[in-house]
């Protein structure tokens, strides 16, 4: 299996970075090929702009998604974007590794998604969910956060983590056709003692069990229940 880990944490000594390293070690030991895109180390530009396109289909008005499609087909898309697209196309499993910032991903990770998940290849028209351009691939979130598990659960002060992550799990990864595996959340990390951190890392190793045995993908909308305009049938 080819694995792509896209890692976005500004501190290379962070627990999140250690999780990325451990995932690489464990998955390689299982016989998988692992590629890591460390966005901060690479100096990835997270800002989507007209500069992403060497040529423009419409030079007078920027419709970013349409220009993504035409520039990729013309071979004029920013090489940094093209390289990341090819990494995603080559992988069987995509792992997004990041700290939770303001109930979401860091701007660096969001910019990677905005610029790399391009119209045409990843999605477009009726090519979403089970018909998406990345169908057949798996994806997973691996994140760290400061909050306790009880704070992000049913009845917790912030609500459930799964609902908070829906723009990523369904609206991004599932939307382009990937099978979304269960999220691994490393809770309360900045406040844990070394022993608790070590135990948490062992849980991460266990989560990476061969073949993600027994992992049920996220349930996504069943397109057979909708007509060609995505209106509910019946």
């Amino acid at each position: 299996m080819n694995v792509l880990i896209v890692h976005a944490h500004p501190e290379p000594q962070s627990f999140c970075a250690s999780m990325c390293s451990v995932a690489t070690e464990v998955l390689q030991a299982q016989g998988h090929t692992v590629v890591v895109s460390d966005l901060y180390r690479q100096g990835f530009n997270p800002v989507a702009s007209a500069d992403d396109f060497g040529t423009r289909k419409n030079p007078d008005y920027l419709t970013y998604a349409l220009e993504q499609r035409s520039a990729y087909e013309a071979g004029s898309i920013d090489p940094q974007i093209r390289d990341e697209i090819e990494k995603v196309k080559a992988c069987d499993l995509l792992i997004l590794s990041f700290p939770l910032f303001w109930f979401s991903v860091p701007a660096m990770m969001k910019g990677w998604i905005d610029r790399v998940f391009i119209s045409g290849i990843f999605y477009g028209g009726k090519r979403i969910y089970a018909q998406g351009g990345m169908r057949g691939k798996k994806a997973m979130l691996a994140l760290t956060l400061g909050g306790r598990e009880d704070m992000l659960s049913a009845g917790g002060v912030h609500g459930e983590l799964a609902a908070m992550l829906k723009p990523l799990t369904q609206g991004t990864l599932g939307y382009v056709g990937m099978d979304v595996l269960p999220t691994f959340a490393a809770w309360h990390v900045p406040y844990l003692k070394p022993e608790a951190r070590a135990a948490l890392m062992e849980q991460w190793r266990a989560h990476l069990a061969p073949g993600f045995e027994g992992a049920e993908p996220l349930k996504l909308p069943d397109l057979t229940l909708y007509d060609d305009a995505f209106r509910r049938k019946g």
Side-chain angles (χ1 to χ4, degrees), residues 78-215:
D78 186 319
Q80 189 181 57
I81 299 173
R82 183 198 60 229
D83 291 348
E84 295 301 310
I85 290 170
E86 298 310 313
K87 291 177 190 178
V88 178
K89 287 171 63 178
C91 81
D92 303 299
L93 170 66
L94 170 65
I95 299 175
L96 300 185
S97 166
F98 60 93
L100 193 72
F101 282 2
W102 292 104
F103 288 20
S104 187
V105 294
M108 181 69 83
M109 179 70 79
K110 182 59 166 63
W112 182 86
I113 293 167
D114 290 345
R115 298 180 76 217
V116 174
F117 277 34
I118 68 170
S119 173
I121 296 176
F122 285 77
Y123 71 97
K126 299 174 185 176
R127 298 174 61 248
I128 60 174
Y129 298 129
Q131 298 171 13
M134 296 295 115
R135 60 189 176 279
K137 299 182 186 297
K138 294 180 173 61
M140 184 175 68
L141 306 181
L143 60 105
T144 57
L145 63 164
R148 301 185 310 272
E149 187 170 4
D150 63 274
M151 297 168 69
L152 291 101
S153 59
V157 64
H158 300 311
E160 295 187 68
L161 180 63
M164 190 180 294
L165 296 174
K166 190 174 180 180
L168 274 176
T169 53
Q170 177 176 330
T172 303
L173 302 172
Y175 189 85
V176 300
M178 295 179 174
D179 292 327
V180 185
L181 301 179
T183 293
F184 183 85
W187 305 97
H188 210 46
V189 167
Y191 312 102
L192 296 180
K193 294 182 178 180
E195 301 80 16
R197 286 186 170 217
L200 192 56
M201 193 63 79
E202 287 307 308
Q203 293 175 29
W204 173 227
R205 288 178 178 272
H207 191 84
L208 295 166
F212 299 92
E213 192 174 318

Side-chain angles (χ1 to χ4, degrees), residues 45-56:
N45 174 17
V47 181
S49 75
D51 293 337
D52 291 343
F53 315 116
T55 58
R56 291 269 298 278

